[in-house]
Amino acid sequence: MWDSIKKFASEFFVTGDPLIYGADVSIGLTMIAVVAALTYFKKWNWLWTEWLTTVDHKKIGIMYIIASILMLFRGGVDALLMRTQLAVPNMDFLSPEHYNAIFTTHGVIMILFMAMPFMFGLFNLVVPLQIGARDVAFPFLNSLSFWLFFMGAMLFNISFVIGGSPDAGWLSYPPLSEKMFSSGVGQDFYIWGIQISGIGSLMTGINFIVTILKMRAPGMKLMKMPMFSWSVLSSCITIILAFPILTITLALLFIDRYLGAHFFTLDGGGNPMMYINLIWMWGHPEVYIIVLPAFGVFSEIVATFSRKRLFGYKSMVFALMSISAFSFFTWAHHFFTMGSGADVNAFFALTTMAIAIPTGVKVFNWLFTMFRGKISFETPMLWAIAFIPCFVVGGMTGVLLSVAPADFQFHNSYFLIAHFHQVIIGGVVFGFFAGLYYWWPKVFGFTLNEKIGKWAFWFWNAGFYICFMPQYVLGLMGMTRRVNTYGWDTGWWELNFVSTIGAFLMGIGFLFQIWQILHSIKFMQKAPADPWNGRTLEWSIPSPAPMYNFATIPHVEERDAWWEEKQRRAQGEAPKPLPPLEPIHMPKNSGIPIIKSAFWFAAGFGLVFNWLWLAIPGFIGIALSMLAHSFNYDTDYYIPVDEIERTEAAAKGDAR
């Protein structure tokens, strides 16, 4: 029996690598510390009632942000491990197998488990406040969306200590991802981790489309809506069209692996190119799903810190919506070299060039907004300004890649790696950092230390260019993707060493950001309601926002409603009289979302290991959770007027 237990443990847990053992110890110590702290300070009930069961969009947004920062740390460590392996030739720091696993998990974590939740966090924190709503359209669904994302992310992340990580690349092309070449459970962790979190992403897309279309404040027509909310709408439309493709694609791959089908195996009559088409029919719109909200963030920040109305509002709306549509007609440029034919390559080359036009329109709109503006250079504006040259270079290299004959040279080289990171880091990560800095006072009620924030900014930016500019040259010198080592005779080591230095500088920038947050918590400086002299409705209410957001729903008459109201007051006009307070209808907290998501985790874990004794009860638990919610009629309550008055009076007292 003891031998059977040892055999099971050796197959169940990942063994043999000191780095994995170190991860095991750190995970164990962290869990012990968290449990001990919650027990010592008697916070278990507080954790359950205030956070784990909350349906408040602001708290859900905060949990998304915390999760994304943790995933940024995990994905960043993966990146530093890879750059350490590639710093000098013939390095023996990571085994080829471990390198492939890290290469795979880095891409998945950064796109799906860092960028997506960061984006959803900003959606939750900002959109209801910008459009004058008290909550999202479906609060229960919003909570369920978060917990499905979280459980999917955890299922994926435990693979590196249990069962083994996937190692077929971050998009898992067949035949590498089929049973013949990935016989372990890592690929199944990949499938179910992404499937479960993807369901949550699809729900979020539906939720925010309905929220924006149906819950805007009276008078806020679509063409009076803030630009960030427009960017969220365009992103969510893309989500609901793209994510079902990913769901079906991974379901087919799972059927191949679990039931022995041959959708994507040539020897069984399938076609791996079908998988590549399907995955990129989701994958390229996914790039725009995460970058469109960043464009909205930059639009808000540039207008605020230039003290000007955004230039070309209608053209910006058209650009956002056209990018959302065009994103579905460019996927084949990811495999020009696959032999699709000249006509197909020409079509997708033209569509890829065409999508650069609305992107360029936005850059010029931001520049013209800043032109002759009274610009102030607080940290959010620094990130917005840094984005422009970075994204322009990324866009130009993207146009180079869109030329099919040129792509035969660039494809599968480090030139492509540099381009992709230039767009994703320079566009998405810089944008989400800018948004976090911009809305931080509104969300948490205190300001971040500007001096430390600028140190973080400069380390991130210097490190970014030092890391990725050499990779363009390495690509042109012939260095291909996915190599875990190279020889001294290639002439690549100097640029790789410089690139590794840049990666560690970005890591230092991240540490400065953590220091900035901790320092600001320790020396907490109360934030006013409108610290940046903002333009949109979220700056008209206290910081942090009350649980009901608005004591009375505002009436909107023009774009930049709060800015225009401040201008009228500055000219001596009296504020419009507010209607009398009324009890506010609010949703009740619910434990069903986290419980149902835990059942999803159990079902996914059971299917990973082919344990039907766990998977079947997991699916039964999901069904029972749905049934319990269907018969739960105690879902809401009213905040009485006297409580609203006390809350508003306390907020005014803090403001004084």
Side-chain angles (χ1 to χ4, degrees):
M1 180 179 176
W2 178 244
D3 291 337
S4 299
I5 294 173
K6 287 197 296 183
K7 183 177 184 297
F8 169 79
S10 65
E11 295 173 352
F12 186 70
F13 295 103
V14 179
T15 58
D17 191 316
L19 292 173
I20 300 296
Y21 292 142
D24 290 335
V25 172
S26 63
I27 291 171
L29 292 176
T30 301
M31 292 178 65
I32 292 170
V34 169
V35 171
L38 289 170
T39 303
Y40 180 79
F41 292 106
K42 299 179 180 178
K43 290 292 186 181
W44 285 105
N45 184 61
W46 166 83
L47 181 66
W48 177 257
T49 57
E50 294 294 325
W51 293 96
L52 300 186
T53 61
T54 186
V55 295
D56 182 351
H57 68 94
K58 298 178 289 297
K59 290 183 177 179
I60 291 171
I62 291 170
M63 291 192 291
Y64 268 123
I65 296 294
I66 292 172
S68 68
I69 291 174
L70 292 173
M71 291 297 100
L72 178 60
F73 173 75
R74 162 76 204 277
V77 169
D78 284 348
L80 294 180
L81 291 173
M82 286 190 289
R83 285 312 320 166
T84 301
Q85 170 65 23
L86 294 170
V88 294
N90 301 325
M91 178 69 82
D92 196 25
F93 176 62
L94 296 174
S95 67
E97 295 79 13
H98 196 180
Y99 183 90
N100 284 343
I102 288 176
F103 158 77
T104 300
T105 56
H106 168 73
V108 175
I109 287 169
M110 287 303 207
I111 297 296
L112 291 170
F113 300 137
M114 187 281 290
M116 289 291 285
F118 212 141
M119 177 182 79
F120 290 152
L122 293 178
F123 286 11
N124 275 280
L125 295 174
V126 178
V127 170
L129 302 182
Q130 276 203 337
I131 65 174
R134 290 198 169 115
D135 210 318
V136 296
F138 308 116
F140 177 91
L141 191 68
N142 198 28
S143 176
L144 180 61
S145 299
F146 170 75
W147 287 113
L148 284 173
F149 147 73
F150 184 81
M151 293 300 176
M154 291 302 101
L155 184 63
F156 180 87
N157 273 271
I158 62 172
S159 65
F160 82 107
V161 293
I162 295 176
S165 295
D167 57 4
W170 79 278
L171 288 176
S172 289
Y173 287 179
L176 288 177
S177 56
E178 296 281 2
K179 272 289 188 183
M180 180 181 294
F181 297 101
S182 294
S183 57
V185 298
Q187 198 57 44
D188 300 300
F189 273 117
Y190 174 98
I191 291 170
W192 283 103
I194 295 176
Q195 284 285 47
I196 294 170
S197 66
I199 295 169
S201 298
L202 185 58
M203 290 176 177
T204 300
I206 295 169
N207 205 347
F208 278 89
I209 288 176
V210 178
T211 300
I212 291 170
L213 294 182
K214 302 296 289 184
M215 298 186 67
R216 300 189 309 280
M220 184 182 282
K221 298 185 182 299
L222 282 173
M223 295 309 291
K224 294 179 182 177
M225 193 165 66
M227 193 54 63
F228 179 71
S229 295
W230 263 113
S231 71
V232 172
L233 179 62
S234 62
S235 178
C236 288
I237 290 171
T238 314
I239 286 172
I240 66 170
L241 295 174
F243 265 80
I245 303 173
L246 176 66
T247 301
I248 294 300
T249 305
L250 293 180
L252 294 176
L253 181 60
F254 180 73
I255 292 170
D256 268 11
R257 292 179 55 83
Y258 196 73
L259 299 177
H262 296 285
F263 291 108
F264 307 125
T265 53
L266 278 174
D267 58 351
N271 187 351
M273 273 303 299
M274 180 59 70
Y275 178 93
I276 296 173
N277 272 279
L278 288 171
I279 202 71
W280 280 116
M281 287 173 70
W282 160 80
H284 201 80
E286 167 66 9
V287 174
Y288 292 103
I289 285 169
I290 57 178
V291 81
L292 284 169
F295 294 157
V297 170
F298 293 129
S299 299
E300 300 291 345
I301 289 173
V302 167
T304 296
F305 291 100
S306 299
R307 305 291 182 260
K308 283 178 62 181
R309 176 172 284 197
L310 182 68
F311 180 88
Y313 176 92
K314 290 182 180 179
S315 64
M316 287 287 281
V317 171
F318 177 78
L320 290 170
M321 301 308 291
S322 61
I323 287 173
S324 178
F326 265 116
S327 67
F328 288 94
F329 297 95
T330 59
W331 80 86
H333 71 219
H334 289 276
F335 43 93
F336 279 146
T337 60
M338 295 286 191
S340 301
D343 292 340
V344 173
N345 283 0
F347 173 82
F348 284 97
L350 290 172
T351 55
T352 304
M353 296 176 194
I355 205 170
I357 297 171
T359 306
V361 166
K362 293 192 300 298
V363 172
F364 282 108
N365 284 356
W366 294 320
L367 292 174
F368 281 124
T369 302
M370 288 187 278
F371 181 63
R372 293 183 176 175
K374 297 178 181 178
I375 302 176
S376 57
F377 294 95
E378 284 85 355
T379 310
M381 188 62 170
L382 290 178
W383 286 101
I385 292 173
F387 151 81
I388 292 176
C390 187
F391 199 77
V392 166
V393 173
M396 289 191 299
T397 54
V399 173
L400 288 174
L401 288 163
S402 75
V403 180
D407 188 67
F408 276 70
Q409 170 65 33
F410 301 136
H411 191 82
N412 209 37
S413 76
Y414 257 71
F415 188 95
L416 182 60
I417 297 292
H419 156 74
F420 184 74
H421 284 83
Q422 183 116 33
V423 172
I424 297 300
I425 295 179
V428 177
V429 179
F430 283 14
F432 293 167
F433 282 167
L436 184 61
Y437 281 107
Y438 181 58
W439 282 298
W440 181 281
K442 179 56 56 184
V443 174
F444 294 101
F446 65 93
T447 57
L448 289 173
N449 184 281
E450 279 282 307
K451 184 176 181 181
I452 303 175
K454 287 176 180 176
W455 275 101
F457 168 82
W458 287 112
F459 268 102
W460 261 101
N461 277 268
F464 173 82
Y465 286 102
I466 292 170
C467 181
F468 293 107
M469 291 302 106
Q471 293 184 14
Y472 284 113
V473 181
L474 285 166
L476 296 176
M477 292 172 66
M479 184 173 178
T480 57
R481 304 163 66 188
R482 306 182 182 91
V483 295
N484 72 302
T485 189
Y486 54 92
W488 288 97
D489 57 341
T490 58
W492 300 340
W493 84 268
E494 296 97 334
L495 291 174
N496 269 299
F497 189 75
V498 170
S499 181
T500 300
I501 292 173
F504 276 90
L505 289 175
M506 285 192 285
I508 294 172
F510 176 77
L511 294 178
F512 268 105
Q513 289 175 308
I514 301 301
W515 177 27
Q516 179 188 19
I517 293 171
L518 296 176
H519 180 277
S520 301
I521 292 173
K522 181 178 180 180
F523 301 99
M524 192 173 292
Q525 184 173 350
K526 176 69 180 175
D530 188 9
W532 311 121
N533 195 13
R535 308 181 71 85
T536 45
L537 289 177
E538 70 268 29
W539 305 110
S540 67
I541 59 177
S543 300
M547 64 182 303
Y548 48 77
N549 295 346
F550 297 90
T552 57
I553 296 297
H555 190 280
V556 174
E557 296 179 353
E558 60 268 302
R559 283 182 9 229
D560 295 343
W562 176 236
W563 177 264
E564 298 298 335
E565 175 66 20
K566 289 188 292 185
Q567 298 308 304
R568 285 193 291 268
R569 293 181 185 181
Q571 294 170 6
E573 290 187 28
K576 294 180 180 179
L578 297 175
L581 293 176
E582 297 179 353
I584 295 175
H585 178 256
M586 296 294 291
K588 281 188 175 180
N589 287 357
S590 175
I592 294 177
I594 187 173
I595 294 170
K596 182 178 178 181
S597 301
F599 281 124
W600 267 110
F601 181 94
F605 195 85
L607 289 172
V608 165
F609 285 96
N610 198 15
W611 293 346
L612 294 181
W613 57 266
L614 180 59
I616 292 173
F619 284 116
I620 292 173
I622 294 167
L624 291 176
S625 299
M626 295 171 68
L627 192 65
H629 180 59
S630 299
F631 287 95
N632 178 24
Y633 300 105
D634 185 21
T635 59
D636 51 10
Y637 70 104
Y638 282 88
I639 301 176
V641 171
D642 59 343
E643 184 177 338
I644 301 169
E645 290 174 341
R646 287 195 300 271
T647 303
E648 294 295 305
K652 290 178 182 177
D654 288 342
R656 289 195 296 271

